[in-house]
Every structure is written in C-alpha cells, then in structure tokens.
C-alpha cells in the first residue's frame, strides 16, 4: 500500500501541462540530496516539480489521509458506519468561519499568502470546527452521557445554521472575494503551495499520527458506551480527544481546500470491507487509501478538462454521492430482512 | 462479598431506589426481580459503577466501589447486558479479545490467548470464533458476549470475580435461556459471584441461590430463594396471584401464576389473609 501510494504520487507529480518522467523525478530528488544520476531534465521541469507539483501532491496526500482518518474515527465514535465529519457539521462550520475570515480578515491580514495568514485561516477554521463540535456535543449530553441520535440531529441543525451564515457573509462580499469564496467552497487544491502545506501539516500530522493510538478504545467503544467503560476505558476522555483531533484535522483541511466531501465516508468503508473493522488496521489503511484517493482525484481534477481545473470537491462528490446512496440502499434492504 | 447499605437513587424528585440493604455472598448467584420500573436496572447500574447512588454505599470485599481504580475494577467486574447493538462486522474472536483489553497493552499476550481459548471452550463458542458476529443468531451472539465478559475477569483472584447480568436471557428462546443460565450457575462453583436481573420466576427458582424482590424502588424481601419466593411475596411484588408447587420428581419447586388480582387487595396489607383463603378455596 505504501508502495502504491509512492507510485501514485510520482505519477501525479509527473502528469500535467508539463510532463515529467519518473526517471527525471528520481534524478531531481537525487540532485537535491547531492547525487548526480546523469538523467537529463530541464530547469523548467525542475521548477514545476519542486514548486508546483510536489507541494500540491503533498497537500492532497495530507488532506486525503486526514479526512479519511477522521471519518474512520467518527464512525467509530458514533458506532455507525454512516458517520462523517461533514455529518455533524464540523466541515460546514469550519467553512462558515473561514468565509467569515476571508471576507473580514482580508482587510486585517492583506491576503493569506504568508505563513501567518495561513495560520490565521487555520485557527479560524479550527475555531469553527471546534465550536460546532462542542455545540453539538453539549446539546447531545444527557445525564453525563452522549445521546448519539440527538447528536446527529443537532449536526443537521448546525449544518443549516453554518450554511446560512456562509450565505449571509457571501452576500456582503465584493466581487473579488466572491470569486475566491465560491471557488474555495467547491473544494480545490488549486491554491497549494509550500506555505500552506507547512501551515496545515502540524494539525494534519497530529491528527493522522494520534488516531491510531485510540484504536483499541474505539474497538471497545463499538460494543456500547457503558460497555467500554466496564472495560476500564475513560469514555468521556476518549470522546473529547477524538473530537479535538477531528476538529483540528478537518479544520486545517477545510482552511486550504474547502469542503471536500465523502472522502471521510467512502474511504473507511471500502477499507473496512477489505480488512475488517478492527480500528488500528482500519485507521492506518484509511490514511493510506485516503491519501491515494485524493492524489488521484486531484490528478483527475486538473487533467481531465485541462487547462481548466475542475474543483476536486465535484470529483469526490460525483464518486461519493452514488456510493453513499448505495450504502443507504444496502442498509435499507438489511433492515427489511 | 458485595455489601449494599442504604442505597437510594433520586432523580428529578423521584425516588427510583430507596433503602436497599443486601449482602451478596461470594460465590453465589443472586437474582434481582421485580416489575418493570421497580428499579432493577438502576440497582445494577449502581452496582456496576455506571451511576453513583444518591445515598448509601456499595462495597466490594470491604472496599468502597467508587474508590476502586478504573483499571483494577475492570479486571474484577464484568457486565453482560440484554442486547448489544453492534453495527460493525467484527469477528467473534475480535469481540472476545476486547474482554482482555484491561489486561494487556500493545499485543495480546500468550496468557491472554490461553484464557480466551479456555473460556471459548467453556462457553462453547470455539466453532464460531472466526465468524462475523453480525451473522450469528441471537443465542450465539449472547454466548460470544458472555465469553467476552468472562475472559475479562477469568483470572482474577478467587472470590474477587464479579459478574453482573442485566436481563441476560430475555431476548433468547427457551433452549438458549436454560443453556446460558446453567452455564452461569456453574460459574458460581468456580468462585464467581453472580448478580442477575431476571424476569422469569422459575429461572430464578431453578438457578439462583438468593433472591431480591423489588417493588417501586423498595426491597420487598431478600434472602435465600426458598424463604423469599413465597406466594405472598410474589403477590406483593408483581400484583399477580401465584402458586408454588413441590413436585417430587423435580429438584426444585416451580411457580405458576394464576393471573392478576384486585389491586385493592394488594395495597392494603390487611387483606393478605383474606386472599390466602381465597386461593385455598380455589385449590
């Protein structure tokens, strides 16, 4: 799987308006670490590779892995394979605060092309994501426990509220802002550069690296909340940790790429079908497949109709929407039997 | 021994439990019985540490239950519920392994594997270890869950193994009910202490040692099943007329329920004598 991921990355990095062969990529990497391979490549290729392509692939990789890991963890937390960060309003709330930040904050930071600007976007999306999580969580608290169905319904309400806020802020934006908001909301990795890769990587890596340590607790959690507690697991702490990690990872992803739907839903599902529901394998498998999927989806988004770029959110929604319907139909037929 | 002193539980001005005093002897099977809403499940939740009582104390082998470290308690006390709502397609083995989570970090130890093997044979689930839990029948699922609960406390010191069962057989057919209860009964011979919420009077009569009868959050009677399970106590607890039979061929008495009785009679304790006469006349 790791090899597949590497292969996909090299393929994606080499494909585009300017083609770069795998050998040339190999040679460029060797050159960076001070080795001469004798394979010829142009300076233009080198610049495109290091500055444009690689940062973009790195971003797709980080975001894909983060979204998939968060999806897997959320599904474990809700003990329901249909859960997704977008479902309880994390993604939309994060995007609402980001739009707010783009429209209001542009004056404060004069653009977001600095690392500081990127962090400020991150912080605002994280704040939005965490706010949504906390709100939904508080509403769903019942006698010191979380009621999952209320939580899901609260998620719907939060989604609606965040959507309304986004629309309202969009109304008051000027033309320039409107363009960037609209494009950003469709979900795109077009804005990738090393600055925002550096901006999101601490959050994403914390999320990807942290989740596997919670896998055993998540396994026990699937028995039921009180049953996990009988097994000596601090259930409330587990829930808090997962929510904060997810808010962080999803928040950072949304900050740079907008809402990329269905990765968090589809990827863990497919992985679960292949290697089973045990969370350690599931989370690691999801991280790798999520990265592969998003690198490929991004490749499709920028080459299929080139030179025009189709927002990646459209690609994942096109694939994910029908898959979600298929899952619902499967659930339905199961409950009839 | 599990000592329950003056337990009360109050929520939103309603007393769900009041003045419960019982002692669960080590190595016995204690059945908790009562009508719906009598407080059985609340009591079990307090005993398992799920909720804290508003009044009174629970001590397990001399130590207050609330002061047990989470990890230690989870190696000595396990809980089996009536039904599990699992949606993820775990294998039976994976479910049972979860019972060992309090005992290892990282990889399953050889000792844990041995315990799982032993318990799987004991409960009779060796044949379904690799099967998808979701495809098992209700009775098989409940046996897998029992195996998970047992591996959790299997190697605790003798006299410190506590198993709580909340209506463990209510969702099972008669065959599985008796299979599971017989299994639980043999546990007490292996130094397990068992507390179970039961609905079936005859299951309690056949398998339990002690019985606690609850009505509206209060204890009606507690003690040895033969002394507690009499016609009068059953009538008080469930508002039904019951008869106890002592057939020579069985090792235990069995109870038949003759139907509902007039509420007026049960609420005034003076009427017990009258209603006893009524039943004698009927026999």
């Amino acid at each position: 799987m790791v090899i597949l991921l590497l292969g996909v990355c090299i393929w994606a990095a080499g494909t585009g308006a300017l083609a770069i062969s795998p050998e040339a990529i190999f040679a460029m990497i060797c050159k960076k670490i001070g080795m001469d391979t004798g394979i010829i490549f142009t300076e233009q290729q080198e610049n495109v590779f290091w500055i444009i392509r690689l940062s973009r692939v790195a971003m797709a990789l980080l975001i894909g892995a983060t979204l998939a890991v968060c999806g897997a963890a959320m599904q474990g937390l809700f003990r329901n394979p249909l859960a997704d960060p977008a479902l309880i309003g994390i993604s939309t709330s994060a995007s609402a605060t980001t739009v707010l930040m783009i429209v209001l904050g542009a004056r404060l930071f004069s653009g977001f092309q600095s690392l500081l600007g990127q962090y400020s976007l991150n912080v605002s999306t994280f704040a939005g994501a965490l706010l949504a999580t906390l709100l939904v969580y508080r509403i769903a608290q019942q006698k010191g426990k979380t009621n999952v169905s209320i939580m899901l319904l609260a998620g719907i309400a939060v989604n609606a509220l965040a959507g309304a806020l986004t629309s309202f802020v969009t109304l008051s934006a000027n033309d320039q802002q409107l363009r960037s908001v609209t494009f950003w909301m469709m979900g795109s990795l077009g804005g990738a550069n090393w600055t925002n890769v550096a901006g999101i990587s601490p959050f994403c890596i914390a999320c990807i690296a942290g989740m596997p340590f919670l896998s055993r607790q998540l396994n026990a959690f699937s028995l039921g909340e009180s049953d996990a507690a009988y097994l000596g697991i601090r259930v409330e702490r587990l829930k808090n940790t997962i929510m904060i990690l997810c808010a962080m990872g999803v928040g950072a992803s949304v900050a740079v790429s907008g809402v990329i739907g269905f990765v968090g839903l589809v990827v863990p599902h497919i992985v679960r079908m292949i290697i089973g529901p045990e969370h350690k394998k599931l989370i690691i498998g999801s991280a790798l497949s999520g990265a592969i999927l998003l690198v490929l989806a991004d490749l499709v988004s920028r080459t299929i109709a080139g030179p025009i770029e189709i927002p990646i959110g459209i690609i994942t929604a096109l694939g994910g929407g029908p898959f979600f319907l298929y899952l619902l139909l499967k659930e339905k037929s199961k409950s009839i039997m | 021994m599990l000592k329950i002193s003056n337990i009360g539980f109050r929520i939103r001005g309603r007393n769900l439990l009041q003045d419960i005093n019982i002692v669960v002897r080590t190595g016995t099977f204690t059945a908790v019985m009562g009508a719906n809403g009598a407080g059985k499940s609340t009591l079990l939740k307090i005993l398992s540490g799920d909720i804290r009582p508003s009044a009174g104390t629970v001590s397990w082998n001399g130590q207050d239950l609330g002061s047990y470290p989470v990890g230690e308690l989870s190696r000595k006390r396990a809980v089996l519920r009536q039904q599990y709502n699992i949606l993820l397609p775990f294998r039976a083995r994976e479910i049972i392994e979860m019972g060992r989570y309090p005992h290892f970090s990282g990889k399953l130890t050889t000792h844990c594997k041995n315990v799982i093997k032993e318990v799987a044979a004991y409960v009779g689930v060796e044949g379904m270890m690799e099967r998808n839990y979701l495809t098992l029948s209700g009775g098989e699922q409940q046996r897998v869950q029992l195996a998970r609960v047992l591996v959790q406390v299997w190697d605790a010191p003798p006299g410190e193994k506590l198993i709580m069962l909340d209506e463990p057989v209510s969702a099972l057919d008669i065959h599985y009910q008796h299979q599971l209860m017989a299994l639980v009964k043999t546990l007490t011979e292996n130094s397990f202490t068992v507390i179970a919420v039961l609905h079936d009077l005859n299951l309690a009569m056949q398998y339990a040692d002690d019985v606690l009868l609850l009505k509206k959050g209060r204890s009606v009677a507690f003690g040895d099943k033969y002394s507690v399970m009499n016609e009068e106590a059953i009538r008080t607890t469930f508002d039904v007329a019951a008869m106890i039979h002592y057939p020579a061929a069985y090792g235990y008495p069995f109870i038949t329920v003759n139907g509902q009785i007039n509420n007026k009679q049960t609420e005034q304790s003076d009427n017990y004598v009258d209603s006893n006469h009524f039943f004698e006349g009927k026999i």
Side-chain angles (χ1 to χ4, degrees):
Chain A
M1 212 139 182
V2 178
I3 297 165
L4 186 64
L5 177 62
L6 276 176
V8 167
C9 285
I10 292 172
W11 181 36
T15 315
L18 180 85
I20 307 170
S21 67
E23 299 90 63
I25 290 173
F26 177 68
M28 282 185 262
I29 293 168
C30 288
K31 189 188 165 196
K32 256 290 194 271
I33 55 172
M35 266 162 50
D36 193 11
T37 49
I39 300 166
I40 304 153
F41 50 86
T42 65
E43 198 180 328
Q44 190 197 11
Q45 277 184 325
E46 197 179 0
N47 284 336
V48 166
F49 175 71
W50 286 114
I51 296 167
I52 300 173
R53 293 279 168 72
L54 198 60
S55 62
R56 189 158 178 165
V57 168
M59 178 159 282
L61 199 137
L62 274 177
I63 292 176
T66 305
L67 290 179
V69 162
C70 287
M74 283 271 152
Q75 289 169 14
L77 184 68
F78 285 110
R79 302 192 287 114
N80 190 326
L82 293 182
D84 179 76
L87 208 68
I88 65 160
I90 296 188
S91 300
T92 28
S93 302
S95 87
T97 47
T98 311
V99 170
L100 203 66
M101 196 70 181
I102 289 179
V103 175
L104 300 179
R107 291 172 200 128
L108 299 174
F109 294 99
S110 56
F112 295 98
Q113 289 315 308
S114 63
L115 193 61
L116 187 73
Q118 182 56 47
Y119 274 130
S120 76
L121 260 190
N122 272 349
V123 169
S124 72
T125 43
F126 173 65
L130 200 61
L131 192 75
T133 319
L134 282 177
L135 186 71
V136 172
Y137 185 62
R138 283 269 163 238
I139 293 171
Q141 285 279 311
Q142 207 177 32
K143 289 183 236 152
K145 299 218 160 112
T146 308
N147 182 329
V148 166
S149 37
I150 292 182
M151 193 156 181
L152 291 174
L153 290 174
I156 295 176
V158 168
N159 265 328
L161 279 174
L165 181 67
T166 309
S167 310
F168 181 71
V169 175
T170 316
L171 269 181
S172 60
N174 63 31
D175 276 0
Q176 168 62 28
Q177 287 165 342
L178 204 59
R179 268 188 72 82
S180 80
V181 164
T182 314
F183 195 70
W184 171 85
M185 274 206 305
M186 281 190 276
S188 164
L189 297 175
N193 57 46
W194 285 114
T195 317
N196 46 30
V197 170
I200 64 161
S201 52
F203 303 97
C204 290
I205 288 170
C207 183
I208 300 165
M211 285 303 185
F213 291 102
L214 303 173
S215 48
R216 215 170 72 162
Q217 279 111 299
L218 279 171
N219 284 341
F221 204 78
S222 56
L223 293 169
E225 240 180 271
S226 47
D227 303 282
Y230 298 146
L231 286 168
I233 283 156
R234 290 169 216 275
V235 175
E236 295 303 315
R237 198 167 71 182
L238 172 72
K239 287 194 280 196
N240 290 339
T241 316
I242 289 178
M243 291 197 171
I244 289 174
L245 282 179
C246 279
M248 240 164 61
V250 174
S253 310
V254 169
V256 290
S257 65
V259 179
I260 299 179
F262 296 106
V263 177
L265 177 81
V266 173
V267 171
H269 245 285
I270 296 173
V271 175
R272 197 179 289 118
M273 276 181 211
I274 299 169
I275 61 173
E278 200 282 313
H279 280 91
K280 187 154 208 160
K281 288 184 253 167
L282 177 69
I283 287 174
I284 295 171
S286 296
L288 292 173
S289 346
I292 293 173
L293 184 83
L294 213 64
V295 169
L296 283 178
D298 182 49
L299 179 64
V300 171
S301 89
R302 63 193 162 82
T303 54
I304 192 167
I308 303 164
E309 201 169 286
I310 295 180
I312 193 169
I314 295 180
I315 309 275
T316 57
L318 269 180
F323 188 79
F324 187 65
L325 286 178
Y326 157 75
L327 288 178
L328 286 179
L329 288 176
K330 216 177 75 175
E331 288 289 309
K332 199 173 119 186
S333 65
K334 217 191 287 171
S335 59
I336 287 168
M337 276 158 58
Chain B
M1 124 188 132
L2 188 71
K3 195 164 182 291
I4 293 147
S5 333
N6 302 316
I7 281 294
F9 187 72
R10 215 180 142 77
I11 190 160
R12 289 192 208 103
R14 267 178 7 111
N15 280 316
L16 295 185
L17 283 176
Q18 250 178 313
D19 301 325
I20 308 290
N21 285 289
I22 61 170
V23 171
V24 176
R25 296 175 290 137
T26 304
T28 60
F29 182 168
T30 302
V32 180
M33 308 194 75
N36 288 332
K40 308 180 296 290
S41 291
T42 310
L43 179 64
L44 211 69
K45 275 185 186 149
I46 289 174
L47 298 186
S48 59
D50 226 10
I51 52 177
R52 284 183 176 273
S54 324
T57 54
V58 183
S59 73
W60 171 232
N61 291 329
Q63 193 183 342
D64 186 61
L65 205 66
S67 72
Y68 262 95
V70 181
E72 193 187 335
L73 192 61
S74 65
R75 287 188 289 271
K76 292 179 174 172
R77 178 273 285 120
V79 185
L80 179 70
R81 288 191 292 118
Q82 177 186 352
Q83 234 170 357
Y84 291 86
N85 185 22
I86 295 179
L87 291 168
L88 301 174
F90 282 102
R91 271 185 282 179
R93 174 186 300 284
E94 290 173 315
I95 300 264
I96 297 173
E97 279 173 3
M98 289 176 199
R100 291 305 289 181
Y101 279 175
H103 298 269
F104 70 94
S105 56
K107 267 198 135 160
L108 212 60
T109 62
T110 327
H111 174 64
C112 287
K113 282 183 191 156
N114 290 337
V115 170
I116 290 173
K117 210 181 259 173
E118 219 174 295
V119 172
Y122 184 78
V123 184
V125 293
E126 319 101 299
M128 50 185 104
M129 294 296 269
E130 303 307 326
R131 283 183 57 192
N132 179 347
Y133 177 83
L134 301 181
T135 64
L136 299 174
S137 74
E140 290 170 332
Q141 287 188 344
Q142 196 66 344
R143 268 192 293 160
V144 168
Q145 293 291 355
L146 179 65
R148 175 183 65 79
V149 163
L150 289 184
V151 297
Q152 191 182 336
V153 293
W154 193 253
D155 49 357
E160 295 189 26
K161 307 172 198 179
L162 181 60
I163 299 270
M164 300 191 191
L165 313 166
D166 192 359
E167 302 186 25
V169 295
S170 299
L172 304 182
D173 66 28
I174 294 174
H175 172 75
Y176 279 130
Q177 284 190 0
H178 283 268
Q179 188 183 44
L180 200 89
M181 293 308 285
L183 209 62
V184 168
K185 179 74 189 159
T186 62
L187 286 175
T188 56
E189 287 150 23
N190 293 315
S191 79
F192 278 84
T193 307
V194 179
I195 306 169
V197 171
L198 293 179
H199 271 308
D200 188 323
L201 293 166
N202 283 306
L203 278 182
M205 202 51 153
Q206 190 171 343
Y207 295 105
D209 297 307
D210 293 344
V211 172
L212 168 67
L213 293 178
L214 286 178
K215 185 178 189 181
K216 292 179 181 158
R218 289 176 178 275
S219 161
V220 175
F222 172 71
D224 177 76
K225 64 179 170 189
Y226 296 110
S227 64
V228 168
M229 300 277 266
N230 57 57
E231 288 158 5
E232 194 180 305
I234 291 171
R235 187 181 318 118
T236 313
T237 311
F238 297 99
D239 289 340
V240 292
M243 268 171 64
I244 318 248
H245 309 267
Y246 297 88
Y250 287 150
Y252 45 87
F254 74 89
I255 304 162
T256 51
V257 174
N258 295 346
Q260 213 174 355
I261 51 168
N262 193 335
N263 278 336
K264 261 188 188 163
Q265 286 180 329
T266 52
E267 269 163 25
Q268 295 165 8
S269 51
D270 302 2
N271 286 342
Y272 284 145
V273 184
D274 293 348
S275 46
N276 269 341
H277 283 303
F278 170 72
F279 286 114
E280 273 164 21
K282 219 180 173 188
I283 295 162

